[in-house]
Amino acid sequence: MIPVLFQDKSLAVCLKPPGILSQDGPGSSMPALLREQLGCGIFPVHRLDRDAGGVMVYAKTGQAAGVLSAALSRGEFRKEYLCVIRGCPEEREGGFRDLLLHDRTRNKSFVVYRVRGGVKEASLAYRVAAEREGLSLVRVRLHTGRTHQIRVQFASRGLPLLGDGKYGGGGGELALWSALLAFPMAGGNMRVFSAPPMGDCWTAFGEEAAAELRKEWPSGCYAQK
C-alpha cells in the first residue's frame, strides 16, 4: 500500500518507497501501483530516482497534469531533500553550481567544464544539519532538476551519498529522501507537504532529520546565484 498524504479529484500526494520507479516502466512503478490502489488515472509530472524515496505528487487527470507541469516549468515547485553523505563540506552552508552531462547509455551523469550538446547547468543550496562518525546529514534545495543531480554534485566534491554505489558511496540503501514538496494548488495557494525519511540508512540521524523538517531556511538560501 502506497502511503497517501493528501488527495482530491485532481491530484494525489504520496510517499514513494525506495526501489520503485517513479514513472511508468517495467516492473513495479508508482503510476501502476497508484492506479490499482486509487482506481483512477495517474499522470506523472516529476521524477525521483528509483533508489530514493519520499514525497511526490501525481495528477489524476490530463488537465491537472498540464497545470502542474506548467507550474514546474515556471519554477513554482519547491523541492527539498535530506541526504547522508560521506564526509562533510568545508562550508556548513552554501551552494553548488556545475555543468552536467547525462550519459543515457550508462544512466550516469558527469560534471563537465565546457558547454556542448547535452550539457545542462545544475545548481542547488545545502545546509549541514548534523555530523556523526564521518557522516553528515545534509538538507538540500534544488534550483534545477537534473538527472542524479544531488548525487553527482556531492560526489564530484569527494562527498558521495551513503549507499550510492553508482557514484562511489558504497553499497546498501541510498540515503536520499524527498523530504518536502511545495506547489500551487487551485486558486494559486501554495501547499507544503513533508515527511521524515524512513529506512535503516537513516537510523543514525533519525531525530535530527525529523527536527530539520520543522525548521525554515532564511529566504536568502533559496535564491539562485
Side-chain angles (χ1 to χ4, degrees):
M1 184 75 68
I2 301 299
V4 177
L5 304 180
F6 170 86
Q7 65 172 317
D8 60 17
K9 63 181 181 181
S10 299
L11 57 85
V13 179
C14 55
L15 295 183
K16 184 186 94 64
I20 296 179
L21 289 172
S22 63
Q23 304 214 343
D24 286 298
S28 295
S29 72
M30 287 293 290
L33 292 171
L34 286 172
R35 288 178 192 123
E36 181 178 358
Q37 180 175 323
L38 302 180
C40 62
I42 293 294
F43 301 82
V45 295
H46 65 122
R47 300 187 180 200
L48 185 61
D49 291 355
R50 182 175 193 156
D51 292 331
V55 185
M56 295 193 70
V57 60
Y58 288 88
K60 290 184 174 180
T61 67
Q63 181 179 4
V67 171
L68 288 170
S69 295
L72 181 65
S73 298
R74 292 192 299 267
E76 295 175 353
F77 270 54
R78 173 178 158 193
K79 299 179 182 179
E80 296 185 14
Y81 299 78
L82 290 172
C83 61
V84 177
I85 62 172
R86 296 186 179 275
C88 185
E90 291 184 6
E91 297 182 357
R92 294 186 62 86
E93 189 169 328
F96 298 152
R97 180 180 289 274
D98 295 295
L99 297 174
L100 298 188
L101 176 66
H102 180 59
D103 184 333
R104 293 181 180 273
T105 303
R106 290 191 283 173
N107 189 28
K108 191 172 182 178
S109 295
F110 300 87
V111 172
V112 298
Y113 300 98
R114 64 181 179 87
V115 177
R116 60 183 188 272
V119 172
K120 297 180 179 181
E121 189 174 85
S123 65
L124 58 77
Y126 73 85
R127 181 174 69 191
V128 177
E131 297 177 63
R132 185 171 294 121
E133 299 178 357
L135 302 174
S136 300
L137 174 68
V138 181
R139 181 172 177 174
V140 176
R141 174 161 185 197
L142 286 182
H143 298 314
T144 54
R146 311 306 181 200
T147 302
H148 299 171
Q149 179 178 334
I150 295 173
R151 298 162 64 181
V152 69
Q153 286 196 278
F154 277 95
S156 69
R157 291 163 171 84
L159 303 165
L161 271 63
L162 183 68
D164 192 355
K166 185 181 287 286
Y167 294 100
E173 299 176 18
L174 176 64
L176 177 62
W177 183 264
S178 173
L180 184 151
L181 182 65
F183 55 89
M185 302 279 281
N189 295 324
M190 292 290 292
R191 286 288 303 272
V192 179
F193 301 93
S194 64
M198 298 180 290
D200 293 341
C201 62
W202 301 95
T203 301
F205 294 106
E207 293 182 4
E208 291 93 339
E212 186 62 28
L213 291 180
R214 295 192 290 268
K215 300 177 183 177
E216 182 65 49
W217 278 359
S219 59
C221 294
Y222 298 130
Q224 294 194 45
K225 298 179 181 180

Coordinates of all heavy atoms in Angstrom, one line a residue, residues 76-140:
E76 N 7.8 27.0 -10.0 CA 7.0 27.3 -8.9 C 6.9 26.1 -7.9 O 6.3 26.2 -6.9 CB 5.6 27.6 -9.4 CG 5.5 28.9 -10.1 CD 4.2 29.2 -10.7 OE1 3.3 28.3 -10.7 OE2 4.0 30.3 -11.3
F77 N 7.6 25.0 -8.2 CA 7.7 23.9 -7.3 C 8.9 24.2 -6.4 O 9.9 24.6 -6.8 CB 8.0 22.6 -8.0 CG 6.7 21.8 -8.4 CD1 5.7 22.5 -9.1 CD2 6.6 20.5 -8.1 CE1 4.6 21.8 -9.5 CE2 5.4 19.8 -8.4 CZ 4.4 20.4 -9.2
R78 N 8.8 23.9 -5.1 CA 9.9 23.9 -4.2 C 10.2 22.5 -3.7 O 9.3 21.8 -3.2 CB 9.5 24.8 -3.0 CG 10.5 24.8 -1.8 CD 9.9 25.7 -0.7 NE 10.5 25.4 0.6 CZ 10.0 25.9 1.7 NH1 9.0 26.7 1.7 NH2 10.6 25.6 2.9
K79 N 11.4 22.0 -4.0 CA 11.8 20.7 -3.7 C 13.0 20.7 -2.7 O 14.0 21.3 -3.0 CB 12.2 19.9 -5.0 CG 11.1 19.8 -6.0 CD 11.7 19.1 -7.2 CE 10.7 18.9 -8.3 NZ 11.2 18.2 -9.5
E80 N 12.8 20.0 -1.6 CA 13.9 19.9 -0.6 C 14.1 18.4 -0.3 O 13.1 17.7 -0.2 CB 13.6 20.7 0.6 CG 13.5 22.2 0.3 CD 13.3 23.0 1.6 OE1 13.5 22.5 2.7 OE2 12.9 24.2 1.5
Y81 N 15.3 18.1 -0.1 CA 15.7 16.7 0.2 C 16.6 16.6 1.4 O 17.3 17.6 1.8 CB 16.5 16.2 -1.0 CG 15.8 16.2 -2.3 CD1 15.6 17.3 -3.1 CD2 15.2 15.0 -2.8 CE1 14.9 17.3 -4.3 CE2 14.5 15.0 -4.0 CZ 14.3 16.1 -4.7 OH 13.6 16.1 -5.9
L82 N 16.6 15.5 2.0 CA 17.6 15.1 3.0 C 18.5 14.0 2.4 O 18.0 13.1 1.7 CB 16.9 14.6 4.3 CG 16.2 15.7 5.1 CD1 15.4 15.0 6.2 CD2 17.1 16.7 5.6
C83 N 19.8 14.1 2.7 CA 20.7 13.0 2.3 C 21.8 12.9 3.4 O 22.0 13.8 4.2 CB 21.3 13.3 1.0 SG 22.3 14.8 0.9
V84 N 22.4 11.7 3.4 CA 23.5 11.4 4.3 C 24.7 11.3 3.3 O 24.7 10.5 2.4 CB 23.3 10.2 5.1 CG1 24.6 9.9 5.9 CG2 22.1 10.3 6.0
I85 N 25.8 12.1 3.6 CA 27.0 12.0 2.7 C 28.1 11.5 3.6 O 28.2 11.6 4.8 CB 27.3 13.4 2.1 CG1 27.6 14.4 3.2 CG2 26.1 13.9 1.2 CD1 28.1 15.7 2.7
R86 N 29.1 11.0 2.9 CA 30.4 10.6 3.5 C 31.3 11.8 3.5 O 31.6 12.4 2.5 CB 31.0 9.4 2.7 CG 30.2 8.1 2.7 CD 30.9 7.0 2.0 NE 30.1 5.8 2.0 CZ 30.1 4.9 3.1 NH1 30.8 5.1 4.2 NH2 29.4 3.8 3.0
G87 N 31.7 12.2 4.8 CA 32.5 13.4 4.9 C 31.6 14.6 5.2 O 30.4 14.4 5.6
C88 N 32.2 15.8 5.1 CA 31.5 17.0 5.4 C 32.0 18.1 4.6 O 33.2 18.2 4.4 CB 31.6 17.4 6.9 SG 30.6 18.8 7.4
P89 N 31.2 18.9 3.9 CA 31.7 20.1 3.2 C 32.5 21.0 4.0 O 32.2 21.1 5.2 CB 30.4 20.7 2.7 CG 29.3 19.7 2.8 CD 29.7 18.9 4.0
E90 N 33.4 21.7 3.4 CA 34.2 22.7 4.2 C 33.3 23.8 4.7 O 33.5 24.3 5.8 CB 35.3 23.3 3.2 CG 36.4 22.3 2.8 CD 37.5 23.0 2.0 OE1 37.4 24.2 1.9 OE2 38.3 22.3 1.5
E91 N 32.3 24.2 4.0 CA 31.4 25.2 4.5 C 30.1 24.5 4.8 O 29.5 23.7 4.1 CB 31.1 26.2 3.4 CG 32.3 27.1 3.0 CD 32.0 28.1 1.9 OE1 30.8 28.2 1.5 OE2 32.9 28.9 1.6
R92 N 29.6 24.8 6.0 CA 28.4 24.1 6.5 C 27.1 24.5 5.8 O 26.1 23.8 5.8 CB 28.2 24.3 8.0 CG 29.3 23.6 8.8 CD 29.0 23.8 10.3 NE 27.8 23.1 10.7 CZ 27.7 21.8 11.0 NH1 28.8 21.0 11.0 NH2 26.6 21.2 11.4
E93 N 27.2 25.6 5.1 CA 26.0 26.1 4.3 C 26.5 26.8 3.1 O 27.5 27.6 3.2 CB 25.2 27.1 5.2 CG 23.9 27.4 4.6 CD 23.0 28.2 5.6 OE1 23.0 27.9 6.8 OE2 22.2 29.0 5.1
G94 N 25.9 26.5 2.0 CA 26.4 27.1 0.7 C 25.6 26.6 -0.5 O 24.5 26.2 -0.3
G95 N 26.3 26.6 -1.6 CA 25.6 26.1 -2.8 C 26.6 25.6 -3.8 O 27.8 25.9 -3.7
F96 N 26.1 24.8 -4.7 CA 26.9 24.2 -5.8 C 26.3 24.6 -7.2 O 25.1 24.6 -7.3 CB 27.0 22.7 -5.8 CG 27.6 22.1 -4.5 CD1 27.2 20.8 -4.1 CD2 28.5 22.8 -3.8 CE1 27.7 20.3 -3.0 CE2 29.1 22.2 -2.7 CZ 28.7 20.9 -2.2
R97 N 27.2 25.0 -8.1 CA 26.7 25.2 -9.5 C 27.7 24.5 -10.4 O 28.9 24.7 -10.3 CB 26.7 26.7 -9.8 CG 26.3 27.1 -11.2 CD 26.2 28.6 -11.4 NE 25.2 29.2 -10.7 CZ 23.9 29.4 -11.1 NH1 23.6 28.9 -12.3 NH2 23.0 30.0 -10.4
D98 N 27.2 23.7 -11.3 CA 28.0 22.9 -12.2 C 27.4 22.8 -13.5 O 26.2 23.0 -13.7 CB 28.2 21.5 -11.6 CG 29.0 21.4 -10.3 OD1 30.2 21.8 -10.3 OD2 28.4 21.0 -9.3
L99 N 28.1 22.3 -14.5 CA 27.6 21.8 -15.8 C 27.6 20.3 -15.7 O 28.6 19.7 -15.4 CB 28.5 22.3 -16.9 CG 28.6 23.8 -17.1 CD1 29.7 24.2 -18.2 CD2 27.3 24.4 -17.5
L100 N 26.4 19.7 -16.1 CA 26.3 18.3 -16.0 C 25.9 17.7 -17.4 O 25.2 18.3 -18.2 CB 25.1 17.9 -15.1 CG 25.3 18.3 -13.6 CD1 24.2 17.6 -12.8 CD2 26.6 17.9 -13.0
L101 N 26.5 16.6 -17.7 CA 26.2 15.8 -18.9 C 25.7 14.4 -18.5 O 26.4 13.7 -17.7 CB 27.5 15.7 -19.7 CG 27.3 14.8 -21.0 CD1 26.4 15.5 -22.0 CD2 28.7 14.5 -21.6
H102 N 24.6 14.1 -19.0 CA 24.0 12.8 -18.7 C 24.2 11.8 -19.8 O 23.9 12.0 -20.9 CB 22.5 12.9 -18.4 CG 21.8 11.6 -18.1 ND1 22.2 10.8 -17.0 CD2 20.8 10.9 -18.7 CE1 21.4 9.7 -16.9 NE2 20.6 9.7 -18.0
D103 N 24.9 10.7 -19.5 CA 25.2 9.6 -20.4 C 24.0 8.6 -20.3 O 23.9 7.8 -19.4 CB 26.5 8.9 -20.0 CG 26.9 7.8 -21.0 OD1 26.0 7.2 -21.7 OD2 28.1 7.5 -21.2
R104 N 23.1 8.6 -21.3 CA 21.9 7.8 -21.3 C 22.3 6.3 -21.3 O 21.6 5.5 -20.8 CB 21.0 8.2 -22.4 CG 20.4 9.6 -22.2 CD 19.4 9.9 -23.4 NE 18.9 11.2 -23.2 CZ 17.8 11.5 -22.5 NH1 17.1 10.5 -21.9 NH2 17.3 12.8 -22.5
T105 N 23.3 6.0 -22.1 CA 23.7 4.6 -22.2 C 24.1 4.0 -20.9 O 23.7 2.8 -20.6 CB 24.9 4.5 -23.2 OG1 24.6 5.1 -24.4 CG2 25.3 3.0 -23.4
R106 N 24.8 4.7 -20.1 CA 25.2 4.2 -18.8 C 24.3 4.7 -17.6 O 24.5 4.3 -16.5 CB 26.6 4.6 -18.5 CG 27.7 3.9 -19.3 CD 29.1 4.2 -18.8 NE 29.6 5.5 -19.2 CZ 30.7 6.0 -18.7 NH1 31.5 5.3 -17.9 NH2 31.1 7.2 -19.1
N107 N 23.3 5.6 -18.0 CA 22.5 6.2 -17.0 C 23.3 6.8 -15.8 O 23.1 6.5 -14.7 CB 21.4 5.2 -16.4 CG 20.4 5.9 -15.6 OD1 20.1 7.1 -15.8 ND2 19.8 5.2 -14.6
K108 N 24.2 7.6 -16.2 CA 25.1 8.2 -15.2 C 25.4 9.7 -15.7 O 25.6 9.9 -16.9 CB 26.4 7.4 -15.1 CG 27.3 7.8 -13.9 CD 28.4 6.9 -13.8 CE 29.3 7.2 -12.6 NZ 30.4 6.3 -12.4
S109 N 25.5 10.6 -14.7 CA 25.8 12.0 -15.0 C 27.2 12.3 -14.6 O 27.8 11.7 -13.7 CB 24.8 12.9 -14.3 OG 23.5 12.7 -14.8
F110 N 27.8 13.3 -15.3 CA 29.1 13.7 -15.0 C 29.2 15.2 -15.0 O 28.5 15.9 -15.7 CB 30.1 13.2 -16.1 CG 30.1 11.7 -16.3 CD1 29.2 11.1 -17.1 CD2 31.0 11.0 -15.6 CE1 29.2 9.7 -17.2 CE2 31.1 9.6 -15.7 CZ 30.1 9.0 -16.5
V111 N 30.1 15.8 -14.1 CA 30.4 17.2 -14.1 C 31.4 17.4 -15.2 O 32.4 16.7 -15.4 CB 31.0 17.6 -12.8 CG1 31.5 19.1 -12.9 CG2 30.0 17.5 -11.7
V112 N 31.1 18.4 -16.1 CA 32.0 18.8 -17.2 C 32.3 20.3 -17.1 O 31.7 21.0 -16.3 CB 31.4 18.4 -18.6 CG1 31.1 16.9 -18.7 CG2 30.0 19.2 -18.8
Y113 N 33.2 20.7 -17.9 CA 33.7 22.1 -17.7 C 33.6 23.0 -19.0 O 34.2 24.1 -19.0 CB 35.2 22.0 -17.3 CG 35.3 21.2 -16.0 CD1 35.7 19.9 -16.0 CD2 35.0 21.8 -14.8 CE1 35.8 19.1 -14.9 CE2 35.1 21.1 -13.6 CZ 35.5 19.7 -13.7 OH 35.5 19.0 -12.5
R114 N 32.8 22.5 -19.9 CA 32.5 23.4 -21.1 C 31.2 23.1 -21.6 O 30.7 21.9 -21.5 CB 33.6 23.3 -22.2 CG 33.7 22.0 -22.8 CD 34.8 22.0 -23.9 NE 35.0 20.7 -24.5 CZ 34.3 20.3 -25.6 NH1 33.3 21.1 -26.1 NH2 34.4 19.1 -26.1
V115 N 30.5 24.0 -22.2 CA 29.2 23.8 -22.7 C 29.3 23.2 -24.1 O 30.1 23.6 -24.9 CB 28.4 25.2 -22.9 CG1 27.1 25.0 -23.5 CG2 28.3 25.9 -21.5
R116 N 28.5 22.1 -24.3 CA 28.4 21.4 -25.6 C 27.0 20.7 -25.6 O 26.3 20.9 -24.7 CB 29.5 20.4 -25.8 CG 29.7 19.3 -24.7 CD 30.9 18.5 -25.0 NE 31.0 17.3 -24.3 CZ 31.6 17.2 -23.1 NH1 32.1 18.3 -22.5 NH2 31.7 16.0 -22.4
G117 N 26.8 20.0 -26.6 CA 25.5 19.4 -26.8 C 25.2 18.4 -25.6 O 26.0 17.6 -25.2
G118 N 24.0 18.6 -25.0 CA 23.5 17.8 -23.9 C 23.9 18.2 -22.6 O 23.5 17.7 -21.6
V119 N 24.8 19.3 -22.5 CA 25.2 19.8 -21.2 C 24.2 20.7 -20.6 O 23.7 21.6 -21.4 CB 26.6 20.4 -21.3 CG1 27.0 21.1 -20.0 CG2 27.7 19.4 -21.7
K120 N 23.9 20.6 -19.4 CA 22.9 21.5 -18.7 C 23.5 22.0 -17.4 O 24.2 21.3 -16.7 CB 21.6 20.8 -18.5 CG 20.9 20.3 -19.7 CD 19.6 19.6 -19.4 CE 18.9 19.1 -20.7 NZ 17.6 18.4 -20.4
E121 N 23.1 23.2 -17.1 CA 23.5 23.8 -15.8 C 22.7 23.2 -14.7 O 21.5 23.0 -14.8 CB 23.4 25.3 -15.8 CG 24.0 26.0 -14.6 CD 24.0 27.6 -14.8 OE1 22.9 28.1 -14.4 OE2 24.9 28.2 -15.3
A122 N 23.4 23.0 -13.5 CA 22.8 22.5 -12.3 C 23.2 23.3 -11.1 O 24.3 23.6 -10.9 CB 23.2 21.0 -12.1
S123 N 22.2 23.6 -10.3 CA 22.5 24.4 -9.1 C 21.6 23.9 -7.9 O 20.5 23.5 -8.1 CB 22.4 25.9 -9.3 OG 21.1 26.2 -9.6
L124 N 22.2 24.0 -6.7 CA 21.5 23.7 -5.5 C 22.0 24.5 -4.3 O 23.1 25.0 -4.4 CB 21.6 22.2 -5.2 CG 23.0 21.5 -5.1 CD1 23.6 21.8 -3.7 CD2 22.9 20.0 -5.3
A125 N 21.2 24.5 -3.3 CA 21.7 25.1 -2.0 C 21.7 23.9 -1.0 O 20.9 23.0 -1.1 CB 20.8 26.2 -1.5
Y126 N 22.6 24.0 0.0 CA 22.6 22.9 1.0 C 22.9 23.5 2.4 O 23.4 24.6 2.5 CB 23.7 21.9 0.7 CG 25.1 22.4 0.9 CD1 25.7 22.3 2.1 CD2 25.8 23.0 -0.2 CE1 27.0 22.8 2.3 CE2 27.1 23.4 0.0 CZ 27.7 23.3 1.3 OH 29.0 23.8 1.5
R127 N 22.6 22.7 3.4 CA 22.9 23.1 4.8 C 23.2 21.8 5.5 O 22.4 20.8 5.5 CB 21.8 23.8 5.5 CG 22.1 24.2 6.9 CD 21.0 25.1 7.5 NE 19.8 24.4 7.7 CZ 18.7 25.0 8.0 NH1 18.6 26.3 8.1 NH2 17.6 24.2 8.3
V128 N 24.3 21.7 6.2 CA 24.7 20.6 7.1 C 23.9 20.7 8.3 O 23.9 21.6 9.1 CB 26.2 20.5 7.4 CG1 26.5 19.4 8.3 CG2 27.0 20.4 6.1
A129 N 23.1 19.6 8.6 CA 22.2 19.6 9.8 C 22.9 18.9 11.0 O 22.6 19.3 12.1 CB 20.9 18.9 9.5
A130 N 23.7 17.9 10.7 CA 24.3 17.2 11.8 C 25.5 16.4 11.2 O 25.6 16.1 10.0 CB 23.3 16.2 12.4
E131 N 26.5 16.0 12.1 CA 27.6 15.2 11.8 C 27.8 14.1 12.8 O 27.6 14.3 14.0 CB 28.9 16.0 11.7 CG 28.9 17.2 10.7 CD 30.2 18.0 10.8 OE1 31.3 17.4 10.6 OE2 30.1 19.2 11.2
R132 N 28.2 12.9 12.3 CA 28.4 11.8 13.2 C 29.3 10.7 12.5 O 28.9 10.3 11.5 CB 27.1 11.2 13.7 CG 27.2 10.2 14.8 CD 25.9 9.8 15.4 NE 25.3 10.9 16.1 CZ 24.1 11.5 15.8 NH1 23.4 11.1 14.8 NH2 23.7 12.5 16.5
E133 N 30.4 10.4 13.1 CA 31.2 9.2 12.7 C 31.5 9.3 11.2 O 31.4 8.3 10.5 CB 30.5 7.9 13.0 CG 30.2 7.7 14.5 CD 29.5 6.4 14.9 OE1 29.1 5.7 13.9 OE2 29.3 6.2 16.1
G134 N 32.0 10.4 10.8 CA 32.4 10.5 9.4 C 31.3 10.7 8.4 O 31.5 10.8 7.2
L135 N 30.1 10.9 8.9 CA 28.9 11.1 8.0 C 28.3 12.4 8.3 O 28.4 12.9 9.5 CB 27.9 10.0 8.2 CG 28.3 8.5 7.9 CD1 27.2 7.6 8.3 CD2 28.8 8.4 6.4
S136 N 27.6 13.0 7.4 CA 26.8 14.2 7.6 C 25.4 14.1 7.1 O 25.2 13.6 6.0 CB 27.5 15.4 6.9 OG 28.9 15.6 7.3
L137 N 24.5 14.6 7.8 CA 23.1 14.8 7.4 C 23.0 16.2 6.8 O 23.3 17.2 7.4 CB 22.1 14.7 8.6 CG 20.7 15.0 8.3 CD1 20.1 13.9 7.4 CD2 19.9 15.1 9.6
V138 N 22.5 16.2 5.5 CA 22.5 17.4 4.7 C 21.1 17.7 4.2 O 20.4 16.8 3.7 CB 23.5 17.4 3.6 CG1 23.5 18.7 2.8 CG2 24.9 17.1 4.1
R139 N 20.7 18.9 4.3 CA 19.4 19.3 3.7 C 19.7 20.1 2.4 O 20.6 20.9 2.4 CB 18.6 20.2 4.7 CG 17.3 20.7 4.1 CD 16.5 21.4 5.3 NE 15.3 22.0 4.8 CZ 14.4 22.6 5.7 NH1 14.7 22.6 6.9 NH2 13.2 23.0 5.2
V140 N 19.0 19.7 1.4 CA 19.3 20.3 0.0 C 18.0 20.9 -0.6 O 17.0 20.3 -0.5 CB 19.8 19.2 -0.9 CG1 20.0 19.7 -2.3 CG2 21.1 18.6 -0.4

